Amino acid sequence: MGQLLDGQLLADLRTGKLKESVNKLKAGGIIPCFCVINIGNDPSSQIYLKTKKRKADEIGIVQKVYQLPENETQADLLALIDRLNADQKVDGIMIQLPAPKQINLNQALERIDPEKDVDCLTPSNVGRLWRGDHFVEPATAHGILALLDHYQLNLQGQNVVIIGRSSIVGKPLAALMLERDATVSILHAKTQNLAAYTKRADILVSAAGQAGMITAKLVKKDAIVIDVGINRQNGKTVGDVDFDAVRQKAKYLTPVPGGIGPLTVESLMEQVVNLTRRKNGR
Ligand code: NAD
């Protein structure tokens, strides 16, 4: 039976260390300030905002939420980003996704000062990520690497298959894993014969958002399986992985909940603290 990779445990450990870093900054008169722009009333976003706020409070980061109406204009959004960019007290900025359809998201993301780009989504930071000299890392990808490192699971030469090609999970994770000398394939909804790839994966990461999609048949024996998916099924939160069946075959796997989710929130706060340190030359 596969060993659990306990994301919650690691997130708690890292939170403790992060608190110490923030206390040191505070002793020098610096309080990290993180601004989240939320446009509209997406119910999942409201939950994510609360989760972030709890974590920020726990660590000692000031989190400000800028709640904008569902019909917010592009011009007003850009004006807010300009104000936050110019505000010396602000260390990190992110736009909570999804944004309403009238918003040109790429244009808004491009407007964020790369030095305050907590999600690593500005073009220059995405470029730095692929060039391998980044100063900020997307939270989910950062959390996954932290988990593999914690359990001393080496990526060098490993055959990694990532399901999902989003800008926030699949693509940045591929960049960071390539940097660690893994051989990476990115699969997506139009991939033909998914099983041909997944069955050869030493490390299989699923970020498709499809409950139960990863059956035991798709998994190589003794693989490491990372479940990023968060889905609601029969009133419960489940991942993409058919957990009980896959556990019989994998060597290691992450649970949902308690796997990548808590690490993502914690990693996001790490990015805020890193950007604060960088801004202040610490
Ligand atoms: P997304 O919708 O932007 O991307 C989903 C990707 O999966 C797409 O590239 C799509 O092509 C691919 N996909 C969908 N169905 C597929 C299928 N049947 N076969 C192959 N590929 C398929 O989503 P996202 O924002 O990247 O998030 C993905 C999932 O991860 C969601 O469930 C989301 O809630 C979850 N998520 C979790 C965390 C966390 O902290 N655990 C963080 C971010 C996202």
Side-chain angles (χ1 to χ4, degrees):
M1 192 156 66
Q3 185 188 333
L4 284 189
L5 300 174
D6 192 336
Q8 184 67 61
L9 186 85
L10 180 60
D12 292 345
L13 270 172
R14 292 176 79 94
T15 294
K17 288 191 186 140
L18 201 55
K19 266 191 217 167
E20 286 171 22
S21 309
V22 170
N23 284 340
K24 279 189 198 143
L25 286 172
K26 283 187 174 169
I30 299 162
I31 303 174
C33 173
F34 174 35
C35 297
V36 187
I37 302 173
N38 189 49
I39 316 159
N41 300 305
D42 180 80
S44 310
S45 292
Q46 296 299 335
I47 297 169
Y48 293 136
L49 287 173
K50 275 193 198 136
T51 310
K52 288 190 185 87
K53 176 85 171 83
R54 257 201 313 274
K55 187 52 85 176
D57 286 349
E58 184 185 355
I59 292 169
I61 292 171
V62 172
Q63 178 180 310
K64 292 185 183 166
V65 176
Y66 291 79
Q67 179 60 55
L68 307 180
E70 186 74 38
N71 62 354
E72 181 61 299
T73 64
Q74 185 76 7
D76 284 353
L77 172 62
L78 294 180
L80 171 62
I81 294 171
D82 287 345
R83 271 207 314 282
L84 298 177
N85 282 342
D87 188 338
Q88 281 307 305
K89 289 201 198 85
V90 172
D91 299 294
I93 304 169
M94 73 168 278
I95 301 174
Q96 182 70 46
L97 302 178
K101 286 196 176 64
Q102 79 277 11
I103 297 297
N104 178 341
L105 190 61
N106 279 344
Q107 189 193 41
L109 290 170
E110 283 184 30
R111 196 70 160 240
I112 295 174
D113 178 350
E115 295 288 334
K116 299 187 179 186
D117 172 23
V118 175
D119 267 342
C120 191
L121 285 173
T122 57
S124 58
N125 280 336
V126 173
R128 288 186 182 102
L129 194 70
W130 285 94
R131 205 170 63 175
D133 66 348
H134 45 273
F135 54 80
V136 63
E137 290 185 356
T140 303
H142 180 89
I144 291 171
L145 289 193
L147 190 64
L148 293 172
D149 287 346
H150 179 73
Y151 285 91
Q152 298 181 333
L153 301 170
N154 192 3
L155 278 154
Q156 191 176 43
Q158 296 295 291
N159 203 3
V160 175
V161 170
I162 301 170
I163 305 179
R165 59 175 162 185
S166 71
S167 314
I168 61 161
V169 186
K171 286 180 188 166
L173 181 63
L176 291 177
M177 286 184 155
L178 277 175
E179 219 177 282
R180 301 280 196 98
D181 297 327
T183 303
V184 184
S185 307
I186 308 180
L187 316 188
H188 48 80
K190 300 281 188 288
T191 298
Q192 293 179 21
N193 200 357
L194 191 106
Y197 296 88
T198 61
K199 283 199 281 196
R200 294 178 52 219
D202 302 312
I203 302 177
L204 176 61
V205 182
S206 185
Q210 304 286 331
M213 174 185 159
I214 306 300
T215 57
K217 268 201 316 210
L218 293 179
V219 176
K220 178 175 151 180
K221 188 166 171 6
D222 290 336
I224 299 167
V225 180
I226 309 286
D227 192 353
V228 181
I230 298 177
N231 312 291
R232 291 296 289 172
Q233 195 178 49
N234 305 326
K236 277 173 63 184
T237 300
V238 298
D240 291 350
V241 173
D242 179 359
F243 184 83
D244 292 334
V246 169
R247 194 172 188 187
Q248 302 305 319
K249 204 162 176 191
K251 190 159 187 189
Y252 298 95
L253 80 170
T254 60
V256 176
I260 302 307
L263 275 171
T264 294
V265 187
E266 198 280 330
S267 297
L268 187 72
M269 299 304 153
E270 283 186 33
Q271 307 311 308
V272 175
V273 175
N274 286 346
L275 292 178
T276 307
R277 279 223 205 89
R278 185 176 156 89
K279 195 177 99 193
N280 291 281
R282 300 289 179 109

